[in-house]
Amino acid sequence: VINISQRAKNFPFSPIRKLMPLAEQAKKKGIKIYHLNIGQPDIQSPKIFLDKLKNYNEKVVAYDRSEGREEFLESFCRYYRKNKISLKTQNMIATYGGSEALFMAFCILFDKDDECLTIEPFYTNYLTIAQSCDVKLKTVTTALENNFQLPPIKEIKKAVGPKTKAVLICNPNNPTGALYPEKVLKELIDFCCQKNIFIISDDAYRDFVYDGKKIISLLSFKKAKDIVVVCDTLSKRYSLCGARLGAIISRNEKVIKSALKIAQSRTSISSILQSAASCLDQVPKNYFSKILKEYQSRRNTLIAGLKKIPGVKFGHPQGAFYLIAELPVKNSEDFCRFLLNDFNYKGETVMLSPAKGFYLTPGLGKNQVRIAYVLNCNDIKKSCLILKKALQKYTINSK
Ligand SMILES: Cc1ncc(COP(=O)(O)O)c(C=O)c1O
């Protein structure tokens, strides 16, 4: 029999999408599902982008430059300039979203069997990307009790071995919503500079920071210019998940040169979408302030709703749009299945992501779920009530 690679066999299925078939079955039964399992924002994409897309009138839909259309890259530079970071178009390569930027970073920075140290719980696709590039993912663990803040630098030092080529962080964090303060980032930068280790910064949620707090970009640490590689995306910034637009950004010329070679191997990303996206830095300022206000009240609504459910513990997310909650159950995956298979409250139920797949350390996250607060406040309120009712029924059933 013809066989596929061991590498491919080892890939995990996304824990975020794994339960989709059950959700489809529930929908067929006429049950309405509140999707709190996936980071797909319901915010409308910017009108100027949609208008430009509608007015596309080139005669040939041609390939574009491999490094990305100049005007597209310039709009990235303008966005960063507004955020007080000075970059040139030569510091970046346009990518198919943050996902391709991450793939490129892994391909470029690691040799086979090198190690990448990341923070657990982590965005699950890191594992598949690492495995695709024959990189070993290692983790340091963050805990709910500590609001999932980075552990002291001495723990990171302990976890770094001779094979560690890079530390990968996601700030603000998916799945925990943690935002890392400047002092901690500075310590991390100092350590990595001293050890000559790269830092990959997944900045997918850099625009989603609440309570008046500020995000510190690792690009602002000048001394770290050779070790910092940022994976950026427009997916969440402008609610453009399906446009597949992003960039790998670094002031390290070797990194960008290598990214260009990979970019050439897939010719270019969409010329149409880059053209439409080049105007995005012109979205009015209140586009972001309105969205931030909305997400902050969604977070507050979720927290208020969860507080009313006995036995549920959770951190206080300061960014992104996720929260990890500990439920009074032994096995959260079993509970998530129950929600879809065996439960509804007035014809409605909720879909959550079991958190086990966000951890590498066996046993961790077993009673946790990730909740994406990407629905309006009313739906979040309803979802919390459904969750409360479901936990009551599940607990009685399992007694
Ligand atoms: C932390 C993180 N990084 C990267 C991505 C990839 O996003 P995209 O490829 O749409 O830019 C996501 C998507 O949800 C994410 O949550």
Side-chain angles (χ1 to χ4, degrees), residues 39 96-100 102 123 126 170 174 202 204-205 232-236 241 244-245 322 370:
Y96 285 113
S99 306
E100 196 195 21
L102 283 162
Y123 174 56
Y126 294 163
C170 174
N174 173 11
D202 181 345
Y205 299 93
D232 198 5
T233 171
L234 303 187
S235 290
K236 319 285 166 161
C241 293
R244 316 304 309 128
L245 293 167
Y322 306 98
R370 186 193 74 168

PDB file of all heavy atoms in Angstrom, residues 39 96-100 102 123 126 170 174 202 204-205 232-236 241 244-245 322 370, ligand 1:
ATOM      1  N   GLY A  39     -12.515  32.132  16.230  1.00  0.00           N
ATOM      2  CA  GLY A  39     -12.241  33.580  16.238  1.00  0.00           C
ATOM      3  C   GLY A  39     -12.639  34.265  14.947  1.00  0.00           C
ATOM      4  O   GLY A  39     -11.834  34.971  14.339  1.00  0.00           O
ATOM      5  N   TYR A  96      -0.024  35.191   2.741  1.00  0.00           N
ATOM      6  CA  TYR A  96      -1.409  34.737   2.877  1.00  0.00           C
ATOM      7  C   TYR A  96      -1.766  34.742   4.361  1.00  0.00           C
ATOM      8  O   TYR A  96      -1.737  33.697   5.032  1.00  0.00           O
ATOM      9  CB  TYR A  96      -1.537  33.295   2.376  1.00  0.00           C
ATOM     10  CG  TYR A  96      -1.519  33.121   0.882  1.00  0.00           C
ATOM     11  CD1 TYR A  96      -0.465  32.467   0.255  1.00  0.00           C
ATOM     12  CD2 TYR A  96      -2.578  33.577   0.111  1.00  0.00           C
ATOM     13  CE1 TYR A  96      -0.452  32.289  -1.114  1.00  0.00           C
ATOM     14  CE2 TYR A  96      -2.570  33.408  -1.265  1.00  0.00           C
ATOM     15  CZ  TYR A  96      -1.507  32.762  -1.862  1.00  0.00           C
ATOM     16  OH  TYR A  96      -1.497  32.579  -3.215  1.00  0.00           O
ATOM     17  N   GLY A  97      -2.028  35.880   4.892  1.00  0.00           N
ATOM     18  CA  GLY A  97      -2.404  35.992   6.299  1.00  0.00           C
ATOM     19  C   GLY A  97      -1.243  35.722   7.236  1.00  0.00           C
ATOM     20  O   GLY A  97      -0.098  35.482   6.810  1.00  0.00           O
ATOM     21  N   GLY A  98      -1.559  35.758   8.521  1.00  0.00           N
ATOM     22  CA  GLY A  98      -0.545  35.475   9.534  1.00  0.00           C
ATOM     23  C   GLY A  98      -0.078  34.032   9.439  1.00  0.00           C
ATOM     24  O   GLY A  98       1.062  33.717   9.785  1.00  0.00           O
ATOM     25  N   SER A  99      -0.948  33.160   8.963  1.00  0.00           N
ATOM     26  CA  SER A  99      -0.591  31.733   8.901  1.00  0.00           C
ATOM     27  C   SER A  99       0.628  31.506   8.014  1.00  0.00           C
ATOM     28  O   SER A  99       1.562  30.802   8.393  1.00  0.00           O
ATOM     29  CB  SER A  99      -1.753  30.912   8.346  1.00  0.00           C
ATOM     30  OG  SER A  99      -2.913  31.159   9.074  1.00  0.00           O
ATOM     31  N   GLU A 100       0.638  32.122   6.832  1.00  0.00           N
ATOM     32  CA  GLU A 100       1.790  31.912   5.955  1.00  0.00           C
ATOM     33  C   GLU A 100       3.033  32.592   6.524  1.00  0.00           C
ATOM     34  O   GLU A 100       4.149  32.084   6.383  1.00  0.00           O
ATOM     35  CB  GLU A 100       1.522  32.412   4.529  1.00  0.00           C
ATOM     36  CG  GLU A 100       2.560  31.825   3.570  1.00  0.00           C
ATOM     37  CD  GLU A 100       2.635  32.502   2.209  1.00  0.00           C
ATOM     38  OE1 GLU A 100       2.197  33.659   2.049  1.00  0.00           O
ATOM     39  OE2 GLU A 100       3.182  31.866   1.290  1.00  0.00           O
ATOM     40  N   LEU A 102       3.767  32.793   9.623  1.00  0.00           N
ATOM     41  CA  LEU A 102       4.284  31.858  10.634  1.00  0.00           C
ATOM     42  C   LEU A 102       5.013  30.692   9.972  1.00  0.00           C
ATOM     43  O   LEU A 102       6.105  30.302  10.388  1.00  0.00           O
ATOM     44  CB  LEU A 102       3.133  31.322  11.487  1.00  0.00           C
ATOM     45  CG  LEU A 102       2.587  32.282  12.555  1.00  0.00           C
ATOM     46  CD1 LEU A 102       1.198  31.849  13.024  1.00  0.00           C
ATOM     47  CD2 LEU A 102       3.530  32.362  13.752  1.00  0.00           C
ATOM     48  N   TYR A 123      -1.878  29.026  20.509  1.00  0.00           N
ATOM     49  CA  TYR A 123      -2.687  28.892  19.285  1.00  0.00           C
ATOM     50  C   TYR A 123      -2.327  27.559  18.641  1.00  0.00           C
ATOM     51  O   TYR A 123      -1.160  27.339  18.274  1.00  0.00           O
ATOM     52  CB  TYR A 123      -2.369  30.073  18.367  1.00  0.00           C
ATOM     53  CG  TYR A 123      -2.999  30.036  17.002  1.00  0.00           C
ATOM     54  CD1 TYR A 123      -4.372  29.921  16.845  1.00  0.00           C
ATOM     55  CD2 TYR A 123      -2.213  30.151  15.859  1.00  0.00           C
ATOM     56  CE1 TYR A 123      -4.942  29.908  15.583  1.00  0.00           C
ATOM     57  CE2 TYR A 123      -2.783  30.153  14.592  1.00  0.00           C
ATOM     58  CZ  TYR A 123      -4.148  30.019  14.471  1.00  0.00           C
ATOM     59  OH  TYR A 123      -4.711  30.013  13.223  1.00  0.00           O
ATOM     60  N   TYR A 126       0.232  26.350  15.851  1.00  0.00           N
ATOM     61  CA  TYR A 126       1.700  26.366  16.009  1.00  0.00           C
ATOM     62  C   TYR A 126       2.252  24.943  15.936  1.00  0.00           C
ATOM     63  O   TYR A 126       3.348  24.725  15.426  1.00  0.00           O
ATOM     64  CB  TYR A 126       2.126  26.974  17.360  1.00  0.00           C
ATOM     65  CG  TYR A 126       1.824  28.440  17.540  1.00  0.00           C
ATOM     66  CD1 TYR A 126       1.832  29.008  18.818  1.00  0.00           C
ATOM     67  CD2 TYR A 126       1.547  29.274  16.463  1.00  0.00           C
ATOM     68  CE1 TYR A 126       1.574  30.360  19.019  1.00  0.00           C
ATOM     69  CE2 TYR A 126       1.274  30.619  16.650  1.00  0.00           C
ATOM     70  CZ  TYR A 126       1.289  31.158  17.937  1.00  0.00           C
ATOM     71  OH  TYR A 126       1.014  32.487  18.119  1.00  0.00           O
ATOM     72  N   CYS A 170       2.674  35.209  21.471  1.00  0.00           N
ATOM     73  CA  CYS A 170       1.500  35.792  20.822  1.00  0.00           C
ATOM     74  C   CYS A 170       0.945  36.822  21.811  1.00  0.00           C
ATOM     75  O   CYS A 170       0.543  36.469  22.913  1.00  0.00           O
ATOM     76  CB  CYS A 170       0.485  34.685  20.565  1.00  0.00           C
ATOM     77  SG  CYS A 170      -1.084  35.292  19.923  1.00  0.00           S
ATOM     78  N   ASN A 174      -3.846  34.613  22.079  1.00  0.00           N
ATOM     79  CA  ASN A 174      -4.879  33.628  21.796  1.00  0.00           C
ATOM     80  C   ASN A 174      -4.296  32.315  22.300  1.00  0.00           C
ATOM     81  O   ASN A 174      -3.199  31.957  21.866  1.00  0.00           O
ATOM     82  CB  ASN A 174      -5.122  33.545  20.286  1.00  0.00           C
ATOM     83  CG  ASN A 174      -6.070  32.429  19.907  1.00  0.00           C
ATOM     84  OD1 ASN A 174      -6.704  31.837  20.761  1.00  0.00           O
ATOM     85  ND2 ASN A 174      -6.169  32.149  18.617  1.00  0.00           N
ATOM     86  N   ASP A 202       3.800  36.793  17.222  1.00  0.00           N
ATOM     87  CA  ASP A 202       2.538  36.662  16.482  1.00  0.00           C
ATOM     88  C   ASP A 202       1.643  37.810  16.942  1.00  0.00           C
ATOM     89  O   ASP A 202       1.124  37.802  18.053  1.00  0.00           O
ATOM     90  CB  ASP A 202       1.927  35.293  16.799  1.00  0.00           C
ATOM     91  CG  ASP A 202       0.618  35.061  16.064  1.00  0.00           C
ATOM     92  OD1 ASP A 202       0.041  36.047  15.535  1.00  0.00           O
ATOM     93  OD2 ASP A 202       0.161  33.904  16.025  1.00  0.00           O
ATOM     94  N   ALA A 204      -1.249  38.915  15.672  1.00  0.00           N
ATOM     95  CA  ALA A 204      -2.573  38.862  15.039  1.00  0.00           C
ATOM     96  C   ALA A 204      -3.597  39.761  15.743  1.00  0.00           C
ATOM     97  O   ALA A 204      -4.507  40.279  15.113  1.00  0.00           O
ATOM     98  CB  ALA A 204      -3.081  37.419  15.012  1.00  0.00           C
ATOM     99  N   TYR A 205      -3.426  39.939  17.057  1.00  0.00           N
ATOM    100  CA  TYR A 205      -4.452  40.679  17.823  1.00  0.00           C
ATOM    101  C   TYR A 205      -3.933  42.009  18.350  1.00  0.00           C
ATOM    102  O   TYR A 205      -4.477  42.537  19.321  1.00  0.00           O
ATOM    103  CB  TYR A 205      -4.960  39.783  18.978  1.00  0.00           C
ATOM    104  CG  TYR A 205      -5.584  38.531  18.443  1.00  0.00           C
ATOM    105  CD1 TYR A 205      -4.831  37.363  18.293  1.00  0.00           C
ATOM    106  CD2 TYR A 205      -6.898  38.526  18.005  1.00  0.00           C
ATOM    107  CE1 TYR A 205      -5.384  36.219  17.737  1.00  0.00           C
ATOM    108  CE2 TYR A 205      -7.463  37.391  17.453  1.00  0.00           C
ATOM    109  CZ  TYR A 205      -6.699  36.248  17.319  1.00  0.00           C
ATOM    110  OH  TYR A 205      -7.254  35.125  16.757  1.00  0.00           O
ATOM    111  N   ASP A 232       2.308  39.304  10.996  1.00  0.00           N
ATOM    112  CA  ASP A 232       1.181  40.229  11.100  1.00  0.00           C
ATOM    113  C   ASP A 232       0.086  39.798  10.120  1.00  0.00           C
ATOM    114  O   ASP A 232       0.344  39.061   9.158  1.00  0.00           O
ATOM    115  CB  ASP A 232       1.651  41.657  10.779  1.00  0.00           C
ATOM    116  CG  ASP A 232       0.662  42.697  11.276  1.00  0.00           C
ATOM    117  OD1 ASP A 232      -0.335  42.338  11.937  1.00  0.00           O
ATOM    118  OD2 ASP A 232       0.871  43.898  10.991  1.00  0.00           O
ATOM    119  N   THR A 233      -1.110  40.262  10.364  1.00  0.00           N
ATOM    120  CA  THR A 233      -2.252  39.869   9.526  1.00  0.00           C
ATOM    121  C   THR A 233      -3.332  40.939   9.548  1.00  0.00           C
ATOM    122  O   THR A 233      -3.467  41.666  10.538  1.00  0.00           O
ATOM    123  CB  THR A 233      -2.839  38.532  10.026  1.00  0.00           C
ATOM    124  OG1 THR A 233      -4.064  38.279   9.340  1.00  0.00           O
ATOM    125  CG2 THR A 233      -3.137  38.545  11.517  1.00  0.00           C
ATOM    126  N   LEU A 234      -4.078  41.017   8.460  1.00  0.00           N
ATOM    127  CA  LEU A 234      -5.218  41.941   8.426  1.00  0.00           C
ATOM    128  C   LEU A 234      -6.519  41.243   8.821  1.00  0.00           C
ATOM    129  O   LEU A 234      -7.566  41.880   8.914  1.00  0.00           O
ATOM    130  CB  LEU A 234      -5.370  42.541   7.014  1.00  0.00           C
ATOM    131  CG  LEU A 234      -4.159  43.275   6.453  1.00  0.00           C
ATOM    132  CD1 LEU A 234      -4.514  43.961   5.136  1.00  0.00           C
ATOM    133  CD2 LEU A 234      -3.613  44.309   7.437  1.00  0.00           C
ATOM    134  N   SER A 235      -6.424  39.919   9.068  1.00  0.00           N
ATOM    135  CA  SER A 235      -7.638  39.131   9.317  1.00  0.00           C
ATOM    136  C   SER A 235      -8.512  39.717  10.417  1.00  0.00           C
ATOM    137  O   SER A 235      -9.712  39.871  10.262  1.00  0.00           O
ATOM    138  CB  SER A 235      -7.273  37.698   9.698  1.00  0.00           C
ATOM    139  OG  SER A 235      -6.762  37.025   8.591  1.00  0.00           O
ATOM    140  N   LYS A 236      -7.879  40.012  11.551  1.00  0.00           N
ATOM    141  CA  LYS A 236      -8.664  40.478  12.702  1.00  0.00           C
ATOM    142  C   LYS A 236      -8.709  42.002  12.719  1.00  0.00           C
ATOM    143  O   LYS A 236      -9.716  42.591  13.076  1.00  0.00           O
ATOM    144  CB  LYS A 236      -8.060  39.945  14.011  1.00  0.00           C
ATOM    145  CG  LYS A 236      -7.581  38.517  13.959  1.00  0.00           C
ATOM    146  CD  LYS A 236      -8.695  37.478  13.970  1.00  0.00           C
ATOM    147  CE  LYS A 236      -8.139  36.119  13.564  1.00  0.00           C
ATOM    148  NZ  LYS A 236      -8.921  34.988  13.908  1.00  0.00           N
ATOM    149  N   CYS A 241     -10.873  38.089   7.561  1.00  0.00           N
ATOM    150  CA  CYS A 241     -10.290  36.742   7.687  1.00  0.00           C
ATOM    151  C   CYS A 241     -10.194  36.019   6.337  1.00  0.00           C
ATOM    152  O   CYS A 241      -9.222  35.327   6.064  1.00  0.00           O
ATOM    153  CB  CYS A 241     -11.113  35.905   8.660  1.00  0.00           C
ATOM    154  SG  CYS A 241     -11.015  36.507  10.342  1.00  0.00           S
ATOM    155  N   ARG A 244      -7.226  36.720   3.381  1.00  0.00           N
ATOM    156  CA  ARG A 244      -5.919  36.060   3.492  1.00  0.00           C
ATOM    157  C   ARG A 244      -4.777  37.029   3.188  1.00  0.00           C
ATOM    158  O   ARG A 244      -3.995  36.834   2.269  1.00  0.00           O
ATOM    159  CB  ARG A 244      -5.827  34.819   2.563  1.00  0.00           C
ATOM    160  CG  ARG A 244      -7.019  33.895   2.543  1.00  0.00           C
ATOM    161  CD  ARG A 244      -7.392  33.362   3.922  1.00  0.00           C
ATOM    162  NE  ARG A 244      -6.261  32.785   4.613  1.00  0.00           N
ATOM    163  CZ  ARG A 244      -5.914  33.125   5.857  1.00  0.00           C
ATOM    164  NH1 ARG A 244      -6.603  34.032   6.545  1.00  0.00           N
ATOM    165  NH2 ARG A 244      -4.871  32.593   6.416  1.00  0.00           N
ATOM    166  N   LEU A 245      -4.702  38.086   3.965  1.00  0.00           N
ATOM    167  CA  LEU A 245      -3.658  39.095   3.758  1.00  0.00           C
ATOM    168  C   LEU A 245      -2.867  39.316   5.040  1.00  0.00           C
ATOM    169  O   LEU A 245      -3.451  39.515   6.109  1.00  0.00           O
ATOM    170  CB  LEU A 245      -4.299  40.426   3.326  1.00  0.00           C
ATOM    171  CG  LEU A 245      -4.971  40.440   1.959  1.00  0.00           C
ATOM    172  CD1 LEU A 245      -5.828  41.693   1.796  1.00  0.00           C
ATOM    173  CD2 LEU A 245      -3.947  40.353   0.837  1.00  0.00           C
ATOM    174  N   TYR A 322     -10.574  36.294  23.361  1.00  0.00           N
ATOM    175  CA  TYR A 322     -10.719  34.934  23.876  1.00  0.00           C
ATOM    176  C   TYR A 322     -10.598  34.937  25.391  1.00  0.00           C
ATOM    177  O   TYR A 322      -9.970  35.827  25.974  1.00  0.00           O
ATOM    178  CB  TYR A 322      -9.631  34.031  23.303  1.00  0.00           C
ATOM    179  CG  TYR A 322      -9.563  34.038  21.808  1.00  0.00           C
ATOM    180  CD1 TYR A 322      -8.642  34.840  21.136  1.00  0.00           C
ATOM    181  CD2 TYR A 322     -10.444  33.261  21.053  1.00  0.00           C
ATOM    182  CE1 TYR A 322      -8.592  34.862  19.756  1.00  0.00           C
ATOM    183  CE2 TYR A 322     -10.388  33.274  19.672  1.00  0.00           C
ATOM    184  CZ  TYR A 322      -9.460  34.074  19.024  1.00  0.00           C
ATOM    185  OH  TYR A 322      -9.411  34.097  17.656  1.00  0.00           O
ATOM    186  N   ARG A 370     -11.965  27.144  25.663  1.00  0.00           N
ATOM    187  CA  ARG A 370     -11.708  28.497  25.174  1.00  0.00           C
ATOM    188  C   ARG A 370     -13.009  29.070  24.651  1.00  0.00           C
ATOM    189  O   ARG A 370     -13.723  28.414  23.893  1.00  0.00           O
ATOM    190  CB  ARG A 370     -10.677  28.493  24.051  1.00  0.00           C
ATOM    191  CG  ARG A 370     -10.297  29.927  23.652  1.00  0.00           C
ATOM    192  CD  ARG A 370      -9.536  29.979  22.363  1.00  0.00           C
ATOM    193  NE  ARG A 370     -10.406  29.737  21.216  1.00  0.00           N
ATOM    194  CZ  ARG A 370     -10.054  29.950  19.954  1.00  0.00           C
ATOM    195  NH1 ARG A 370      -8.839  30.402  19.672  1.00  0.00           N
ATOM    196  NH2 ARG A 370     -10.883  29.698  18.945  1.00  0.00           N
TER     197      ARG A 370
HETATM  198  C1  LIG B   1      -2.829  33.718  17.228  1.00  0.00           C
HETATM  199  C2  LIG B   1      -3.142  33.613  15.792  1.00  0.00           C
HETATM  200  N1  LIG B   1      -2.150  33.681  14.914  1.00  0.00           N
HETATM  201  C3  LIG B   1      -2.371  33.560  13.599  1.00  0.00           C
HETATM  202  C4  LIG B   1      -3.632  33.375  13.112  1.00  0.00           C
HETATM  203  C5  LIG B   1      -3.786  33.201  11.638  1.00  0.00           C
HETATM  204  O1  LIG B   1      -4.627  34.092  11.089  1.00  0.00           O
HETATM  205  P1  LIG B   1      -4.626  34.441   9.539  1.00  0.00           P
HETATM  206  O2  LIG B   1      -3.898  33.395   8.809  1.00  0.00           O
HETATM  207  O3  LIG B   1      -6.065  34.529   9.178  1.00  0.00           O
HETATM  208  O4  LIG B   1      -3.964  35.741   9.468  1.00  0.00           O
HETATM  209  C6  LIG B   1      -4.726  33.293  13.989  1.00  0.00           C
HETATM  210  C7  LIG B   1      -6.090  33.074  13.500  1.00  0.00           C
HETATM  211  O5  LIG B   1      -7.034  32.889  14.212  1.00  0.00           O
HETATM  212  C8  LIG B   1      -4.469  33.423  15.365  1.00  0.00           C
HETATM  213  O6  LIG B   1      -5.448  33.348  16.273  1.00  0.00           O
END
